[in-house]
Amino acid sequence: MTTNDGKRKNKKGVKMPDAFVILFGLLLLAAIATYIIPAGSFERETTDNEITQVIPDSYSETDMNPASVMDVFLAIQQGLIDTANLVFMVLIIGGTVAVFEHTGAVNSGINALIDRTKGRKYLLIISVITLFGILDTAGVSGNAVIAFIPIGIILARALKLDAITGIAMIYLGQYVGVATGTFDPVITGIAQQIAELPLFSGAALRGAAFIVFLLVTIVYICLYVKKISKDPAKSMMGSSPFAKYHDDEQDTDSFGAFTLRHKIVILTFFVFLGVFLFGVYNLGWSINELSATFLMMSIAVAVINKITPNKLVSVFMEGAKGLVYGALVIGMARAIVVILENGYILDTIVHYAFGPLEGLPTLLGAQAIFVFNLLFNLLVTSGSGQAVITMPFIVPLVDMLDITRQTGVLAFKLGDGITNIFTPTSGVLMAVLAVGGVPWNKWFRFVWPLVLIWAFIGAVFISIAVLINYGPF
C-alpha cells in the first residue's frame, strides 16, 4: 500500500507543468535578465525597398530599464493586446470549424476519401505532408496553415490516430518548406536582398535540403503512427487522443454518405480560402483578413445548410469556447518578448554574440552562425524580423571569415526555421496547438527528437555549403 502511494507521488512529481506555468517561468527569467544584461540598441535605417534593418557597428549602450513586478504582469496584458489578432483568429476559427462539423460535410468527406484510397493511411499521411511542404517551400501557406489544422485533426480522428498526428501532418510538413525556403519570396527574399544576392539564387542546394528534410519528417511521423496504431496507449496524448472538444464530436461514420450539399460546403471552404490567398499575394491581406474570411465562411455555410441564426450563434460559440485556453497562451508567450524588448536587451544579445565569431575558422564560423540563429529564433520567431536584425551582421561576418554570402543566408534560413517547430514564444505554433487541442508540453515531448535530427541535417548542409563554396558569392 505504501509502495503504491509512493509510486503515485513519484509520478505526480515528474509530471510536466502546464504551458502557462512554463511560460510564466520564462517570463520571470526574462525579467531577471533585464537586471543582468546591459541595455543597448543599434541604429536602424529604412532601405529603398522599405526594409528596416540595423546598421552594423552602430551599437551603443543605453540606460538600463529593468522590469518591475508590475511590469511583469503588465507584459501579460500587453502580450494579449499585441497578439489580439491571433487570439481572436483562433477563437473565430474554432467557431467556424464547429459550424462546418455541425453540417457533417468534412467528416463525410474524409470518410469518402479514406474509402477511395481503401484505407491506405500511410499514403494519405505522406500525401498531406508532401503537399504542405511543397506549398511552403514557395512561401504559399504561411500563417494560413492554422486554417488547415482542423482538417488534419478530422483526418487523424477518422484514421483512429491522435491529435498530435493531425497537427504533425500539416504543421511539420509546412515547416519542411519554411526551414529550407527554396523559393520563399518573403524570408529568403529579404535575406538574399540584404546579402545583395540574386533572388532565389542557390536554389539547388536548398532544394536538396528540402528533399532530405521531407523524407526524414515523413519517416519520423509514419514511425509514430505505426507505434500508436499497434498500441494506442503509446500516444503522447495519453488516454485521450483528442482534446475534449474534439472527443465530444460525433464519429465520422455517423454522418452517412457524402452528399451534394456536403460537396458544396467543402467547395465553399476552398473558395473562401482561395480568395484569402489571392488577397495575401495581391492585396496585402494578413491575419485580420483571415479572421474576416472565416466569419463570412461560417455564415455562407449556415445559409447553404439552412442553419437558423440562433443555432449558428450557439454552435459557433461552443466551438470558440473550446479554444479559449490555447488562445490565451498566445498572449502569454508574447509577454516574454515584451519584457525583452522593453528592457532593451535583444540588441545587446546580438552585439555580444557576433563579436567572438569573428576569429573562428571558416567551417566552425559557419556552424556558429547556424547555431546562433537556432537559439536567437527562440526569442524572435518572425522570419522576416530575424532577417532584418541578424543578416546585416552575418554579411560582413561571412566576408571576414571567407565564407560565401549564400552560405550565410543558408545558415540564417535553416536556423530560423528549425526551432520554430517547438518554441513556445511562437504565436503561430501556439495558435496551431490551440486549434488542434494539443498542450505544448505534449507537443514538445513528441517533436524534440525531430528538432535534433533537423539540426544535425542542417549542420551537414552548412558544411557542404562551405566545402563547395556555395554561391554565386
Side-chain angles (χ1 to χ4, degrees), residues 248-427:
D248 290 342
E249 293 158 4
Q250 291 171 272
D251 188 81
T252 51
D253 295 330
S254 66
F255 286 95
F258 190 41
T259 65
L260 176 61
R261 181 173 288 182
H262 287 157
K263 292 174 184 176
I264 293 172
V265 169
I266 298 296
L267 180 62
T268 301
F269 173 82
F270 285 106
V271 167
F272 273 94
L273 202 60
V275 170
F276 170 71
L277 291 175
F278 175 83
V280 168
Y281 285 95
N282 295 279
L283 305 171
W285 288 7
S286 188
I287 295 294
N288 291 340
E289 287 78 10
L290 179 60
S291 297
T293 301
F294 266 84
L295 285 172
M296 291 185 286
M297 199 188 295
S298 64
I299 294 171
V301 168
V303 171
I304 292 167
N305 281 270
K306 299 178 181 177
I307 300 173
T308 66
N310 283 354
K311 185 64 176 176
L312 170 62
V313 172
S314 173
V315 173
F316 188 95
M317 290 301 174
E318 195 62 31
K321 188 167 64 177
L323 297 184
V324 169
Y325 175 95
L328 293 178
V329 163
I330 298 169
M332 189 72 175
R334 170 63 188 169
I336 298 166
V337 180
V338 170
I339 288 290
L340 295 174
E341 288 178 344
N342 291 346
Y344 303 110
I345 61 176
L346 279 177
D347 284 0
T348 303
I349 292 170
V350 173
H351 174 69
Y352 285 106
F354 275 104
L357 304 186
E358 295 176 3
L360 293 176
T362 302
L363 190 59
L364 192 57
Q367 297 292 354
I369 294 170
F370 170 56
V371 171
F372 170 79
N373 279 282
L374 280 173
L375 299 175
F376 191 66
N377 191 59
L378 300 176
L379 304 177
V380 180
T381 58
S382 164
S384 55
Q386 191 174 338
V388 299
I389 292 173
T390 63
M391 281 307 300
F393 296 94
I394 290 175
V395 171
L397 181 60
V398 295
D399 288 346
M400 283 188 293
L401 293 173
D402 198 25
I403 300 169
T404 64
R405 293 186 177 189
Q406 196 74 266
T407 302
V409 169
L410 183 67
F412 153 73
K413 194 70 193 77
L414 291 173
D416 163 61
I418 292 173
T419 46
N420 260 324
I421 65 174
F422 82 92
T423 176
T425 54
S426 168

